[in-house]
């Protein structure tokens, strides 16, 4: 009877570990995917997106795909004065992009981090997850 109890306990312990292992595998696969996307998306950076914004490249950190963007002081002031409008515009863009939607469905967070040109001084940061695209 003792042997049965011990083997039952071992079986239960191994079954409890399976979801954690599966979660770790999913997180590892997501991180690898994000690193690949960041590397490919950073080719040719820095590059101007328009007269006000320069794409400085992407990084992948802890389940996040982060796009670093630089702006001049005047545009930074405009972004900071209208953060909800900026968020709404970014959200529309993110949610309309099928590749970004797939990443978010995998559990990724997409982050836009604006800094002042030539510095690392933060201006504005907005992050998005799959739930933010439910209405789209």
């Amino acid at each position: 009877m003792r042997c049965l109890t011990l083997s039952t306990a071992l079986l239960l312990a191994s079954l409890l570990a399976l979801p954690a292992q599966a979660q770790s595998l999913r997180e590892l696969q997501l991180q690898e995917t994000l690193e690949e996307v960041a590397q490919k998306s950073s080719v040719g950076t820095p590059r101007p997106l328009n007269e006000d914004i320069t794409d400085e490249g992407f990084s992948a950190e802890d389940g996040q795909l982060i796009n670093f963007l630089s702006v001049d002081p005047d545009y930074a002031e405009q972004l900071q004065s209208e953060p909800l409008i900026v968020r709404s515009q970014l959200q529309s863009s993110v949610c309309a992009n099928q590749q970004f939607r797939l990443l978010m469905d995998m559990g990724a967070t997409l982050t836009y981090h604006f800094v002042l040109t030539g510095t690392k001084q933060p201006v504005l940061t907005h992050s998005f997850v799959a739930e933010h695209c439910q209405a789209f």
Side-chain angles (χ1 to χ4, degrees):
M1 189 68 160
R2 224 176 183 183
C3 187
L4 182 60
T5 305
L6 182 57
S7 61
T8 302
L10 289 174
L11 177 62
L12 285 174
S14 65
L15 288 175
L16 291 174
L18 285 177
Q21 289 173 346
Q23 179 69 20
S24 294
L25 181 58
R26 278 194 303 274
E27 289 172 357
L28 181 62
Q29 290 172 331
L30 174 61
Q31 188 62 32
E32 288 174 355
T33 300
L34 292 177
E35 288 171 6
E36 183 179 321
V37 169
Q39 182 180 15
K40 288 180 180 177
S41 298
S42 293
V43 171
T45 59
R47 63 178 160 250
L49 296 179
N50 60 37
E51 61 192 33
D52 299 309
I53 303 171
T54 299
D55 182 350
E56 301 291 346
F58 288 76
S59 73
E61 301 171 18
D62 299 325
Q64 283 191 81
L65 180 64
I66 305 168
N67 189 189
F68 295 93
L69 303 154
S70 62
V71 296
D72 66 33
D74 290 337
Y75 197 68
E77 190 175 311
Q78 184 180 345
L79 291 175
Q80 290 173 330
S81 72
E82 302 173 337
L84 295 178
I85 291 172
V86 172
R87 181 169 181 79
S88 178
Q89 291 171 345
L90 288 172
Q91 183 176 359
S92 293
S93 176
V94 165
C95 294
N97 184 309
Q98 287 303 313
Q99 292 174 322
F100 286 163
R101 297 278 300 257
L102 287 172
L103 291 172
M104 290 186 297
D105 287 343
M106 292 172 63
T109 300
L110 300 182
T111 299
Y112 291 89
H113 184 65
F114 293 87
V115 298
L116 284 179
T117 301
T119 74
K120 297 212 184 265
Q121 183 178 340
V123 172
L124 189 70
T125 299
H126 285 293
S127 297
F128 302 93
V129 295
E131 291 80 30
H132 293 131
C133 295
Q134 296 298 323
F136 288 84

